[in-house]
Amino acid sequence: MGAAAIDLLYWRNVKQSGAVFGSVLLLLFSLTQFSVVSVGAYLALAALSATISFRIYKSVLQAVQKTDEGHPFKSYLEVEISLSQDQIGKYADKALLYSNTCMKELRRLFLVQDLIDSLKFAVLMWLLTYVGALFNGLTLLILAVVSMFSMPIVYEKNQAQIDQYVGLIRTQVNSVVGKIQAKIPGAKRKEE
């Protein structure tokens, strides 16, 4: 994650973080009420209304003041926005690597290469059936965005207490997993 994203999530610049957080939440809440097509069309209309109004305002101002400043968006129109073959290749390579890694891991889990990992995956999928019954994907996305903007700052301010409790939980989980592994034949894990 880039430094700019870290600064946003840790609220280093409150105005910038608030603007990003508010606009992302507004977009997600809009998507709960309207279709993606409608939200996209309304956003495009709002942007067009702003740019057309600004262009007309600047044209009238130039006519009244008898100046010739040119197009108000000229500097933006001259910016190169195309992707190079190298950039596309780099992103395609990353996507390919990620896809292959995911497929290998899913194959390993579904074909029970390691019984404990497959059982953990099964429990996770079982829990996700309950999560899916309670929330839709958009609600989970809203919760994820709120968590992304709140958890880092909460952790930063209460790191000692959180680390203490996470350590206790980790010890308990490892104890339970160890007991389960001891009772399942053939499930002994090699020491890591």
Side-chain angles (χ1 to χ4, degrees):
M1 196 180 319
I6 298 282
D7 289 345
L8 273 177
L9 297 178
Y10 278 94
W11 294 79
R12 304 282 189 245
N13 181 342
V14 175
K15 287 182 182 178
Q16 190 177 21
S17 292
V20 170
F21 179 61
S23 40
V24 168
L25 270 185
L26 180 66
L27 174 69
L28 291 174
F29 282 127
S30 297
L31 288 172
T32 62
Q33 299 299 314
F34 305 105
S35 71
V36 174
V37 174
S38 295
V39 171
Y42 283 127
L43 287 174
L45 280 173
L48 274 171
S49 297
T51 55
I52 290 171
S53 299
F54 186 70
R55 171 76 196 270
I56 291 171
Y57 168 75
K58 287 300 240 177
S59 297
V60 169
L61 198 61
Q62 287 175 14
V64 169
Q65 294 178 346
K66 296 186 180 10
T67 61
D68 189 25
E69 295 175 8
H71 196 287
F73 298 116
K74 184 175 183 176
S75 62
Y76 297 110
L77 290 170
E78 293 172 351
V79 172
E80 181 64 34
I81 59 170
S82 61
L83 291 173
S84 69
Q85 285 286 74
D86 292 338
Q87 288 173 319
I88 292 173
K90 182 177 80 171
Y91 294 131
D93 288 344
K94 284 184 180 181
L96 181 65
L97 177 66
Y98 181 72
S99 299
N100 287 337
T101 303
C102 286
M103 287 190 311
K104 286 177 185 175
E105 185 63 19
L106 288 173
R107 178 184 65 188
R108 187 181 78 76
L109 291 170
F110 279 106
L111 298 180
V112 195
Q113 182 178 354
D114 182 350
L115 181 63
I116 297 298
D117 284 347
S118 293
L119 287 173
K120 287 178 188 176
F121 184 65
V123 169
L124 176 66
M125 292 300 108
W126 178 70
L127 290 173
L128 284 178
T129 62
Y130 287 101
V131 170
L134 295 174
F135 305 107
N136 66 21
L138 203 51
T139 304
L140 290 174
L141 192 57
I142 290 169
L143 290 172
V145 168
V146 170
S147 296
M148 282 174 40
F149 277 90
S150 60
M151 294 295 191
I153 196 74
V154 168
Y155 179 72
E156 188 176 60
K157 291 181 189 263
N158 303 301
Q159 186 173 359
Q161 296 95 336
I162 292 172
D163 286 347
Q164 177 185 355
Y165 288 118
V166 167
L168 290 172
I169 292 169
R170 185 174 287 143
T171 303
Q172 290 295 324
V173 167
N174 288 341
S175 165
V176 169
V177 167
K179 289 177 184 175
I180 291 172
Q181 284 177 336
K183 292 184 181 197
I184 296 177
K188 300 272 187 218
R189 300 275 313 254
K190 45 187 176 285
E191 295 298 320
E192 297 180 46

